[in-house]
Amino acid sequence: MEYNLKELRKKIIADKKDYESFKKTYLGTDGFVKKALDNIKDIPKEEKASYGKEINDIKQLCIDILEKKRVGVTQKNNEKIDPTAPFDINTAKDKRPEILDLKGSKHPIHKEVERFIEIFKSMGFDVMESRQLDDDYHMFESLNFPKGHPARDMYDTFWTEDNFVLPAHTSTMQNRAMKEFGPPPIRAVLPGRCFRNEATDASHEHTFYQIEGVYVDEGISVGNMQATIKAFLEAYLEKELEVRIQPSFFPFTEPDCEFVIGCPFCSKAGCSVCGHSGWIELMGCGMIHPNVLSQAGIDPEKYSGFAWGFGVDRLTMIKLGIDDIRYLRDSNLNFLKQF
Ligand code: FA5
C-alpha cells in the first residue's frame, strides 16, 4: 500500500475526532501510522531514511494533538478552561460540584476576632495588630528575658537566617503598645498570630491566634485585672462563668496567673479537649513587671498595670462548640460552611 505522507499529515491536522477515536485511528494497532510504518519495506532504499523520519514526525504530531485533546485545549473558544480544577468546569449547572457556586466568607476565627475587638472597644480599649515576624528585643529583652535567661526556651520558636523570629505570643507587642498609646492611662488590645514549636492535639496548634491586653494607669491592682477579664469573658460567652485563677510563671509579670474555666464540653468530667482535667486554660495574665514598664519609658514608681494574652482559637472553640482546634486550620469546607 502506497502512502502519501503529505496527505496523511493534512488529514491528521484537520481531524476533529475526540481523544479516543483519534488515538485509535492514527496510533492504534491498525492505525494509519502503524500501516505507514509497515509500508517502509516497499519504499526504495535511498528514500527509506527520509520516509522513516517523516513517519516519526507524524507520530509525534499525533501525540501532541492527543495531549491537547486530553487537557481540553482544543475545546470551543467560548468554553472556560481551568487545568488546575479537579473537575470539568463546563459541566451542566445542575451537575456541577457545589464548590463552584460557593461564595467566599469570613473564617470563623476572623469573625470572632472582630467580635472580641468590638467588645474591647466598647470597654474603651485601643487596638493594634501584632507582627508575624519580630526581633529579639521585642520577643525577649523588652519582656524581661535577658540573654541566657532559661525561660527563653519556653518561647523559642523558628528563627530566620537574619535573626528574626516567628512570635510565640502577642506579648511581643507590649512594649510597642505602651510607647504608641502612652503616657498612661493606656488601654490596648493587640490581636495577632502566634507560632509554637510543639506537638498538636485537640487543644494545641503550632499556629494560632492570641489577643494581648495591656492596661496601665495609677493605682491599678490585681482586682482591676480580675474584674476586667471576667467582664470581657462574660460579655463574649454571654453567661456567668466558673473561673479559676491559678499561679503561673512569666518573666514579664509579677505576680503571674492563669485564667482557667470549667470545661463546657464535658461539664468538668474530663475529655480530650480539656486534657481530661475538667478545666481549660484560657489565658496567661499578671501585673506588668516594673522592668517591662521601664523598658517602655513608664515610671514603675508612679504607674502600675496588668496584661493578659488569651488564645482566640480556644475561646472560639468554646463559643462555637468545636471540639478539636485543628478543624480551624484545615480548610475543610464542610466544617467552615457551618459558621
Ligand atoms: C502566653 O503566651 C503569655 N504571653 C500570656 C501572658 C500575656 C501572660 C501577658 C502574662 C501577661 P501561654 O503560653 O500560657 O502564655 O499562652 C496563653 C494562651 O494562649 C493559652 O492560655 C492558650 O489559650 C493559648 N495557647 C497557648 N498555646 C497554644 C497552642 N499551642 N494552641 C492554641 N492555643 C494556645
Side-chain angles (χ1 to χ4, degrees), residues 155 169 171 174 196 198 203-205 208 210 212 250 252-253 281-286 307-311 314 325:
Y155 296 98
H169 54 173
S171 300
Q174 283 189 16
R196 298 263 169 117
E198 64 183 32
S203 56
H204 291 84
E205 259 291 9
F208 58 99
Q210 284 186 342
E212 191 85 3
F250 305 103
F252 38 95
T253 47
E281 174 212 319
L282 277 185
M283 66 182 83
C285 54
W308 73 78
F310 72 79
R314 292 228 187 131
I325 195 169

PDB file of all heavy atoms in Angstrom, residues 155 169 171 174 196 198 203-205 208 210 212 250 252-253 281-286 307-311 314 325, ligand 1:
ATOM      1  N   TYR A 155       9.637  30.002  74.867  1.00  0.00           N
ATOM      2  CA  TYR A 155       9.058  30.761  73.749  1.00  0.00           C
ATOM      3  C   TYR A 155       9.958  30.752  72.517  1.00  0.00           C
ATOM      4  O   TYR A 155       9.792  31.557  71.622  1.00  0.00           O
ATOM      5  CB  TYR A 155       8.789  32.212  74.182  1.00  0.00           C
ATOM      6  CG  TYR A 155       7.743  32.280  75.275  1.00  0.00           C
ATOM      7  CD1 TYR A 155       8.108  32.385  76.607  1.00  0.00           C
ATOM      8  CD2 TYR A 155       6.388  32.191  74.958  1.00  0.00           C
ATOM      9  CE1 TYR A 155       7.151  32.416  77.610  1.00  0.00           C
ATOM     10  CE2 TYR A 155       5.427  32.220  75.953  1.00  0.00           C
ATOM     11  CZ  TYR A 155       5.811  32.333  77.272  1.00  0.00           C
ATOM     12  OH  TYR A 155       4.854  32.346  78.262  1.00  0.00           O
ATOM     13  N   HIS A 169       3.999  34.512  70.998  1.00  0.00           N
ATOM     14  CA  HIS A 169       2.859  35.112  71.704  1.00  0.00           C
ATOM     15  C   HIS A 169       2.761  36.595  71.318  1.00  0.00           C
ATOM     16  O   HIS A 169       3.696  37.169  70.751  1.00  0.00           O
ATOM     17  CB  HIS A 169       2.992  34.949  73.228  1.00  0.00           C
ATOM     18  CG  HIS A 169       4.286  35.461  73.802  1.00  0.00           C
ATOM     19  ND1 HIS A 169       4.525  35.521  75.147  1.00  0.00           N
ATOM     20  CD2 HIS A 169       5.404  35.946  73.214  1.00  0.00           C
ATOM     21  CE1 HIS A 169       5.732  36.015  75.358  1.00  0.00           C
ATOM     22  NE2 HIS A 169       6.273  36.270  74.210  1.00  0.00           N
ATOM     23  N   SER A 171       2.632  38.983  73.374  1.00  0.00           N
ATOM     24  CA  SER A 171       3.310  39.847  74.349  1.00  0.00           C
ATOM     25  C   SER A 171       4.449  40.631  73.704  1.00  0.00           C
ATOM     26  O   SER A 171       4.889  41.656  74.239  1.00  0.00           O
ATOM     27  CB  SER A 171       3.852  39.013  75.515  1.00  0.00           C
ATOM     28  OG  SER A 171       2.807  38.343  76.168  1.00  0.00           O
ATOM     29  N   GLN A 174       3.758  44.303  73.656  1.00  0.00           N
ATOM     30  CA  GLN A 174       3.518  45.122  74.852  1.00  0.00           C
ATOM     31  C   GLN A 174       4.316  46.421  74.811  1.00  0.00           C
ATOM     32  O   GLN A 174       3.799  47.506  75.056  1.00  0.00           O
ATOM     33  CB  GLN A 174       3.886  44.336  76.114  1.00  0.00           C
ATOM     34  CG  GLN A 174       2.857  43.305  76.512  1.00  0.00           C
ATOM     35  CD  GLN A 174       3.162  42.712  77.888  1.00  0.00           C
ATOM     36  OE1 GLN A 174       3.946  43.250  78.662  1.00  0.00           O
ATOM     37  NE2 GLN A 174       2.531  41.587  78.177  1.00  0.00           N
ATOM     38  N   ARG A 196       4.114  28.178  67.597  1.00  0.00           N
ATOM     39  CA  ARG A 196       4.806  27.432  68.658  1.00  0.00           C
ATOM     40  C   ARG A 196       5.431  26.177  68.078  1.00  0.00           C
ATOM     41  O   ARG A 196       4.844  25.519  67.217  1.00  0.00           O
ATOM     42  CB  ARG A 196       3.834  27.027  69.771  1.00  0.00           C
ATOM     43  CG  ARG A 196       3.194  28.200  70.487  1.00  0.00           C
ATOM     44  CD  ARG A 196       3.893  28.551  71.777  1.00  0.00           C
ATOM     45  NE  ARG A 196       3.398  29.825  72.276  1.00  0.00           N
ATOM     46  CZ  ARG A 196       2.749  29.987  73.428  1.00  0.00           C
ATOM     47  NH1 ARG A 196       2.539  28.952  74.224  1.00  0.00           N
ATOM     48  NH2 ARG A 196       2.350  31.182  73.803  1.00  0.00           N
ATOM     49  N   GLU A 198       5.615  23.002  68.894  1.00  0.00           N
ATOM     50  CA  GLU A 198       5.117  21.950  69.781  1.00  0.00           C
ATOM     51  C   GLU A 198       4.175  21.006  69.046  1.00  0.00           C
ATOM     52  O   GLU A 198       3.635  21.343  67.987  1.00  0.00           O
ATOM     53  CB  GLU A 198       4.424  22.565  71.001  1.00  0.00           C
ATOM     54  CG  GLU A 198       3.184  23.362  70.694  1.00  0.00           C
ATOM     55  CD  GLU A 198       2.600  24.008  71.956  1.00  0.00           C
ATOM     56  OE1 GLU A 198       3.366  24.367  72.861  1.00  0.00           O
ATOM     57  OE2 GLU A 198       1.370  24.134  72.018  1.00  0.00           O
ATOM     58  N   SER A 203      -6.366  20.561  71.587  1.00  0.00           N
ATOM     59  CA  SER A 203      -6.390  21.955  72.056  1.00  0.00           C
ATOM     60  C   SER A 203      -5.075  22.697  71.815  1.00  0.00           C
ATOM     61  O   SER A 203      -4.906  23.822  72.283  1.00  0.00           O
ATOM     62  CB  SER A 203      -6.755  22.007  73.548  1.00  0.00           C
ATOM     63  OG  SER A 203      -5.854  21.223  74.286  1.00  0.00           O
ATOM     64  N   HIS A 204      -4.144  22.090  71.080  1.00  0.00           N
ATOM     65  CA  HIS A 204      -2.865  22.758  70.785  1.00  0.00           C
ATOM     66  C   HIS A 204      -2.593  22.747  69.290  1.00  0.00           C
ATOM     67  O   HIS A 204      -2.674  21.696  68.651  1.00  0.00           O
ATOM     68  CB  HIS A 204      -1.696  22.052  71.481  1.00  0.00           C
ATOM     69  CG  HIS A 204      -1.720  22.201  72.958  1.00  0.00           C
ATOM     70  ND1 HIS A 204      -2.449  21.391  73.770  1.00  0.00           N
ATOM     71  CD2 HIS A 204      -1.108  23.102  73.767  1.00  0.00           C
ATOM     72  CE1 HIS A 204      -2.292  21.765  75.035  1.00  0.00           C
ATOM     73  NE2 HIS A 204      -1.487  22.810  75.059  1.00  0.00           N
ATOM     74  N   GLU A 205      -2.261  23.921  68.769  1.00  0.00           N
ATOM     75  CA  GLU A 205      -1.868  24.055  67.368  1.00  0.00           C
ATOM     76  C   GLU A 205      -0.470  24.650  67.310  1.00  0.00           C
ATOM     77  O   GLU A 205      -0.028  25.293  68.250  1.00  0.00           O
ATOM     78  CB  GLU A 205      -2.840  25.001  66.635  1.00  0.00           C
ATOM     79  CG  GLU A 205      -3.874  24.283  65.802  1.00  0.00           C
ATOM     80  CD  GLU A 205      -3.296  23.581  64.582  1.00  0.00           C
ATOM     81  OE1 GLU A 205      -2.058  23.490  64.436  1.00  0.00           O
ATOM     82  OE2 GLU A 205      -4.096  23.090  63.773  1.00  0.00           O
ATOM     83  N   PHE A 208      -1.654  29.674  65.838  1.00  0.00           N
ATOM     84  CA  PHE A 208      -2.948  30.038  66.434  1.00  0.00           C
ATOM     85  C   PHE A 208      -2.960  31.553  66.662  1.00  0.00           C
ATOM     86  O   PHE A 208      -1.990  32.242  66.319  1.00  0.00           O
ATOM     87  CB  PHE A 208      -3.174  29.267  67.746  1.00  0.00           C
ATOM     88  CG  PHE A 208      -2.108  29.505  68.778  1.00  0.00           C
ATOM     89  CD1 PHE A 208      -2.304  30.408  69.814  1.00  0.00           C
ATOM     90  CD2 PHE A 208      -0.899  28.842  68.720  1.00  0.00           C
ATOM     91  CE1 PHE A 208      -1.314  30.640  70.764  1.00  0.00           C
ATOM     92  CE2 PHE A 208       0.102  29.064  69.666  1.00  0.00           C
ATOM     93  CZ  PHE A 208      -0.112  29.964  70.686  1.00  0.00           C
ATOM     94  N   GLN A 210      -3.749  34.937  69.303  1.00  0.00           N
ATOM     95  CA  GLN A 210      -3.943  35.430  70.676  1.00  0.00           C
ATOM     96  C   GLN A 210      -4.430  36.869  70.607  1.00  0.00           C
ATOM     97  O   GLN A 210      -4.252  37.561  69.602  1.00  0.00           O
ATOM     98  CB  GLN A 210      -2.613  35.436  71.453  1.00  0.00           C
ATOM     99  CG  GLN A 210      -2.148  34.079  71.926  1.00  0.00           C
ATOM    100  CD  GLN A 210      -0.910  34.184  72.813  1.00  0.00           C
ATOM    101  OE1 GLN A 210      -0.207  35.203  72.821  1.00  0.00           O
ATOM    102  NE2 GLN A 210      -0.628  33.122  73.552  1.00  0.00           N
ATOM    103  N   GLU A 212      -3.666  40.054  73.073  1.00  0.00           N
ATOM    104  CA  GLU A 212      -2.977  40.582  74.243  1.00  0.00           C
ATOM    105  C   GLU A 212      -3.756  41.789  74.751  1.00  0.00           C
ATOM    106  O   GLU A 212      -4.349  42.534  73.963  1.00  0.00           O
ATOM    107  CB  GLU A 212      -1.577  41.048  73.784  1.00  0.00           C
ATOM    108  CG  GLU A 212      -0.632  41.380  74.892  1.00  0.00           C
ATOM    109  CD  GLU A 212       0.082  40.129  75.390  1.00  0.00           C
ATOM    110  OE1 GLU A 212      -0.126  39.043  74.836  1.00  0.00           O
ATOM    111  OE2 GLU A 212       0.843  40.266  76.364  1.00  0.00           O
ATOM    112  N   PHE A 250       5.610  33.848  84.319  1.00  0.00           N
ATOM    113  CA  PHE A 250       6.016  34.612  83.136  1.00  0.00           C
ATOM    114  C   PHE A 250       7.060  35.620  83.603  1.00  0.00           C
ATOM    115  O   PHE A 250       6.827  36.307  84.614  1.00  0.00           O
ATOM    116  CB  PHE A 250       4.828  35.378  82.526  1.00  0.00           C
ATOM    117  CG  PHE A 250       3.659  34.503  82.190  1.00  0.00           C
ATOM    118  CD1 PHE A 250       2.533  34.485  83.002  1.00  0.00           C
ATOM    119  CD2 PHE A 250       3.675  33.696  81.062  1.00  0.00           C
ATOM    120  CE1 PHE A 250       1.455  33.677  82.702  1.00  0.00           C
ATOM    121  CE2 PHE A 250       2.588  32.883  80.759  1.00  0.00           C
ATOM    122  CZ  PHE A 250       1.479  32.869  81.581  1.00  0.00           C
ATOM    123  N   PHE A 252       7.641  38.411  82.485  1.00  0.00           N
ATOM    124  CA  PHE A 252       7.218  39.799  82.243  1.00  0.00           C
ATOM    125  C   PHE A 252       6.081  40.258  83.129  1.00  0.00           C
ATOM    126  O   PHE A 252       5.562  41.359  82.953  1.00  0.00           O
ATOM    127  CB  PHE A 252       6.873  40.000  80.757  1.00  0.00           C
ATOM    128  CG  PHE A 252       6.172  38.814  80.125  1.00  0.00           C
ATOM    129  CD1 PHE A 252       4.797  38.764  80.049  1.00  0.00           C
ATOM    130  CD2 PHE A 252       6.906  37.752  79.605  1.00  0.00           C
ATOM    131  CE1 PHE A 252       4.163  37.674  79.472  1.00  0.00           C
ATOM    132  CE2 PHE A 252       6.278  36.657  79.029  1.00  0.00           C
ATOM    133  CZ  PHE A 252       4.907  36.612  78.962  1.00  0.00           C
ATOM    134  N   THR A 253       5.639  39.415  84.076  1.00  0.00           N
ATOM    135  CA  THR A 253       4.605  39.848  85.028  1.00  0.00           C
ATOM    136  C   THR A 253       5.011  39.448  86.442  1.00  0.00           C
ATOM    137  O   THR A 253       5.810  38.534  86.643  1.00  0.00           O
ATOM    138  CB  THR A 253       3.232  39.207  84.696  1.00  0.00           C
ATOM    139  OG1 THR A 253       3.420  37.815  84.456  1.00  0.00           O
ATOM    140  CG2 THR A 253       2.569  39.854  83.512  1.00  0.00           C
ATOM    141  N   GLU A 281      -7.505  26.034  80.188  1.00  0.00           N
ATOM    142  CA  GLU A 281      -6.730  27.244  80.429  1.00  0.00           C
ATOM    143  C   GLU A 281      -6.967  28.202  79.268  1.00  0.00           C
ATOM    144  O   GLU A 281      -6.776  27.854  78.116  1.00  0.00           O
ATOM    145  CB  GLU A 281      -5.252  26.863  80.511  1.00  0.00           C
ATOM    146  CG  GLU A 281      -4.320  28.031  80.624  1.00  0.00           C
ATOM    147  CD  GLU A 281      -2.987  27.756  79.941  1.00  0.00           C
ATOM    148  OE1 GLU A 281      -2.461  26.640  80.054  1.00  0.00           O
ATOM    149  OE2 GLU A 281      -2.491  28.689  79.294  1.00  0.00           O
ATOM    150  N   LEU A 282      -7.448  29.408  79.596  1.00  0.00           N
ATOM    151  CA  LEU A 282      -7.782  30.354  78.530  1.00  0.00           C
ATOM    152  C   LEU A 282      -6.725  31.414  78.314  1.00  0.00           C
ATOM    153  O   LEU A 282      -6.545  31.920  77.221  1.00  0.00           O
ATOM    154  CB  LEU A 282      -9.099  31.068  78.863  1.00  0.00           C
ATOM    155  CG  LEU A 282     -10.372  30.347  78.505  1.00  0.00           C
ATOM    156  CD1 LEU A 282     -11.547  31.226  78.780  1.00  0.00           C
ATOM    157  CD2 LEU A 282     -10.352  29.930  77.050  1.00  0.00           C
ATOM    158  N   MET A 283      -6.088  31.809  79.398  1.00  0.00           N
ATOM    159  CA  MET A 283      -5.102  32.875  79.208  1.00  0.00           C
ATOM    160  C   MET A 283      -4.110  32.957  80.353  1.00  0.00           C
ATOM    161  O   MET A 283      -4.381  32.535  81.475  1.00  0.00           O
ATOM    162  CB  MET A 283      -5.797  34.221  79.047  1.00  0.00           C
ATOM    163  CG  MET A 283      -6.537  34.735  80.249  1.00  0.00           C
ATOM    164  SD  MET A 283      -7.352  36.302  79.874  1.00  0.00           S
ATOM    165  CE  MET A 283      -8.856  35.741  79.089  1.00  0.00           C
ATOM    166  N   GLY A 284      -2.955  33.513  79.986  1.00  0.00           N
ATOM    167  CA  GLY A 284      -1.986  33.887  81.000  1.00  0.00           C
ATOM    168  C   GLY A 284      -2.184  35.374  81.280  1.00  0.00           C
ATOM    169  O   GLY A 284      -2.601  36.136  80.393  1.00  0.00           O
ATOM    170  N   CYS A 285      -1.899  35.790  82.493  1.00  0.00           N
ATOM    171  CA  CYS A 285      -2.077  37.206  82.828  1.00  0.00           C
ATOM    172  C   CYS A 285      -1.228  37.546  84.061  1.00  0.00           C
ATOM    173  O   CYS A 285      -0.622  36.665  84.674  1.00  0.00           O
ATOM    174  CB  CYS A 285      -3.541  37.527  83.085  1.00  0.00           C
ATOM    175  SG  CYS A 285      -4.318  36.477  84.320  1.00  0.00           S
ATOM    176  N   GLY A 286      -1.203  38.803  84.409  1.00  0.00           N
ATOM    177  CA  GLY A 286      -0.456  39.202  85.606  1.00  0.00           C
ATOM    178  C   GLY A 286      -0.224  40.698  85.622  1.00  0.00           C
ATOM    179  O   GLY A 286      -0.586  41.409  84.668  1.00  0.00           O
ATOM    180  N   ALA A 307      -1.507  42.855  82.309  1.00  0.00           N
ATOM    181  CA  ALA A 307      -1.543  42.400  80.912  1.00  0.00           C
ATOM    182  C   ALA A 307      -2.091  40.987  80.896  1.00  0.00           C
ATOM    183  O   ALA A 307      -2.051  40.285  81.909  1.00  0.00           O
ATOM    184  CB  ALA A 307      -0.149  42.431  80.304  1.00  0.00           C
ATOM    185  N   TRP A 308      -2.621  40.595  79.734  1.00  0.00           N
ATOM    186  CA  TRP A 308      -3.046  39.200  79.554  1.00  0.00           C
ATOM    187  C   TRP A 308      -2.813  38.809  78.112  1.00  0.00           C
ATOM    188  O   TRP A 308      -2.616  39.669  77.235  1.00  0.00           O
ATOM    189  CB  TRP A 308      -4.538  39.042  79.900  1.00  0.00           C
ATOM    190  CG  TRP A 308      -5.454  39.625  78.860  1.00  0.00           C
ATOM    191  CD1 TRP A 308      -5.782  39.061  77.653  1.00  0.00           C
ATOM    192  CD2 TRP A 308      -6.117  40.895  78.902  1.00  0.00           C
ATOM    193  NE1 TRP A 308      -6.612  39.904  76.956  1.00  0.00           N
ATOM    194  CE2 TRP A 308      -6.850  41.037  77.705  1.00  0.00           C
ATOM    195  CE3 TRP A 308      -6.177  41.921  79.847  1.00  0.00           C
ATOM    196  CZ2 TRP A 308      -7.611  42.148  77.404  1.00  0.00           C
ATOM    197  CZ3 TRP A 308      -6.942  43.033  79.551  1.00  0.00           C
ATOM    198  CH2 TRP A 308      -7.655  43.147  78.341  1.00  0.00           C
ATOM    199  N   GLY A 309      -2.826  37.517  77.866  1.00  0.00           N
ATOM    200  CA  GLY A 309      -2.775  37.019  76.490  1.00  0.00           C
ATOM    201  C   GLY A 309      -3.654  35.796  76.426  1.00  0.00           C
ATOM    202  O   GLY A 309      -3.387  34.808  77.112  1.00  0.00           O
ATOM    203  N   PHE A 310      -4.755  35.871  75.670  1.00  0.00           N
ATOM    204  CA  PHE A 310      -5.621  34.680  75.609  1.00  0.00           C
ATOM    205  C   PHE A 310      -5.631  34.074  74.211  1.00  0.00           C
ATOM    206  O   PHE A 310      -5.348  34.745  73.211  1.00  0.00           O
ATOM    207  CB  PHE A 310      -7.037  34.961  76.110  1.00  0.00           C
ATOM    208  CG  PHE A 310      -7.904  35.811  75.217  1.00  0.00           C
ATOM    209  CD1 PHE A 310      -8.539  35.290  74.110  1.00  0.00           C
ATOM    210  CD2 PHE A 310      -8.097  37.162  75.529  1.00  0.00           C
ATOM    211  CE1 PHE A 310      -9.349  36.085  73.312  1.00  0.00           C
ATOM    212  CE2 PHE A 310      -8.909  37.955  74.732  1.00  0.00           C
ATOM    213  CZ  PHE A 310      -9.532  37.424  73.618  1.00  0.00           C
ATOM    214  N   GLY A 311      -5.935  32.781  74.166  1.00  0.00           N
ATOM    215  CA  GLY A 311      -5.969  32.043  72.910  1.00  0.00           C
ATOM    216  C   GLY A 311      -7.309  32.244  72.227  1.00  0.00           C
ATOM    217  O   GLY A 311      -8.337  31.805  72.720  1.00  0.00           O
ATOM    218  N   ARG A 314      -9.002  28.921  71.234  1.00  0.00           N
ATOM    219  CA  ARG A 314      -9.623  28.171  72.353  1.00  0.00           C
ATOM    220  C   ARG A 314     -10.955  28.794  72.741  1.00  0.00           C
ATOM    221  O   ARG A 314     -11.931  28.089  73.002  1.00  0.00           O
ATOM    222  CB  ARG A 314      -8.695  28.184  73.560  1.00  0.00           C
ATOM    223  CG  ARG A 314      -7.446  27.389  73.296  1.00  0.00           C
ATOM    224  CD  ARG A 314      -7.124  26.430  74.401  1.00  0.00           C
ATOM    225  NE  ARG A 314      -5.824  25.857  74.112  1.00  0.00           N
ATOM    226  CZ  ARG A 314      -4.847  25.781  74.981  1.00  0.00           C
ATOM    227  NH1 ARG A 314      -5.021  26.217  76.222  1.00  0.00           N
ATOM    228  NH2 ARG A 314      -3.701  25.248  74.640  1.00  0.00           N
ATOM    229  N   ILE A 325      -9.274  21.807  67.951  1.00  0.00           N
ATOM    230  CA  ILE A 325      -8.727  23.074  67.439  1.00  0.00           C
ATOM    231  C   ILE A 325      -8.238  22.936  65.995  1.00  0.00           C
ATOM    232  O   ILE A 325      -8.239  23.898  65.228  1.00  0.00           O
ATOM    233  CB  ILE A 325      -7.572  23.559  68.354  1.00  0.00           C
ATOM    234  CG1 ILE A 325      -7.230  25.013  68.097  1.00  0.00           C
ATOM    235  CG2 ILE A 325      -6.340  22.697  68.220  1.00  0.00           C
ATOM    236  CD1 ILE A 325      -6.305  25.621  69.142  1.00  0.00           C
TER     237      ILE A 325
HETATM  238  C1  FA5 B   1       1.480  33.420  76.939  1.00  0.00           C
HETATM  239  O1  FA5 B   1       1.545  33.276  75.728  1.00  0.00           O
HETATM  240  C2  FA5 B   1       1.739  34.732  77.596  1.00  0.00           C
HETATM  241  N1  FA5 B   1       2.304  35.652  76.645  1.00  0.00           N
HETATM  242  C3  FA5 B   1       0.407  35.263  78.148  1.00  0.00           C
HETATM  243  C4  FA5 B   1       0.561  36.478  79.011  1.00  0.00           C
HETATM  244  C5  FA5 B   1       0.368  37.730  78.464  1.00  0.00           C
HETATM  245  C6  FA5 B   1       0.885  36.342  80.343  1.00  0.00           C
HETATM  246  C7  FA5 B   1       0.521  38.865  79.257  1.00  0.00           C
HETATM  247  C8  FA5 B   1       1.036  37.441  81.162  1.00  0.00           C
HETATM  248  C9  FA5 B   1       0.831  38.708  80.615  1.00  0.00           C
HETATM  249  P1  FA5 B   1       0.672  30.992  77.364  1.00  0.00           P
HETATM  250  O2  FA5 B   1       1.824  30.298  76.728  1.00  0.00           O
HETATM  251  O3  FA5 B   1       0.111  30.348  78.555  1.00  0.00           O
HETATM  252  O4  FA5 B   1       1.068  32.461  77.795  1.00  0.00           O
HETATM  253  O5  FA5 B   1      -0.459  31.161  76.277  1.00  0.00           O
HETATM  254  C10 FA5 B   1      -1.573  31.972  76.536  1.00  0.00           C
HETATM  255  C11 FA5 B   1      -2.811  31.360  75.928  1.00  0.00           C
HETATM  256  O6  FA5 B   1      -2.622  31.122  74.532  1.00  0.00           O
HETATM  257  C12 FA5 B   1      -3.150  29.992  76.496  1.00  0.00           C
HETATM  258  O7  FA5 B   1      -3.866  30.107  77.685  1.00  0.00           O
HETATM  259  C13 FA5 B   1      -3.991  29.392  75.387  1.00  0.00           C
HETATM  260  O8  FA5 B   1      -5.300  29.921  75.426  1.00  0.00           O
HETATM  261  C14 FA5 B   1      -3.306  29.943  74.157  1.00  0.00           C
HETATM  262  N2  FA5 B   1      -2.344  28.960  73.637  1.00  0.00           N
HETATM  263  C15 FA5 B   1      -1.087  28.744  74.053  1.00  0.00           C
HETATM  264  N3  FA5 B   1      -0.506  27.762  73.346  1.00  0.00           N
HETATM  265  C16 FA5 B   1      -1.415  27.372  72.436  1.00  0.00           C
HETATM  266  C17 FA5 B   1      -1.405  26.391  71.386  1.00  0.00           C
HETATM  267  N4  FA5 B   1      -0.348  25.652  71.110  1.00  0.00           N
HETATM  268  N5  FA5 B   1      -2.514  26.246  70.642  1.00  0.00           N
HETATM  269  C18 FA5 B   1      -3.613  27.030  70.900  1.00  0.00           C
HETATM  270  N6  FA5 B   1      -3.676  27.959  71.855  1.00  0.00           N
HETATM  271  C19 FA5 B   1      -2.598  28.142  72.617  1.00  0.00           C
END
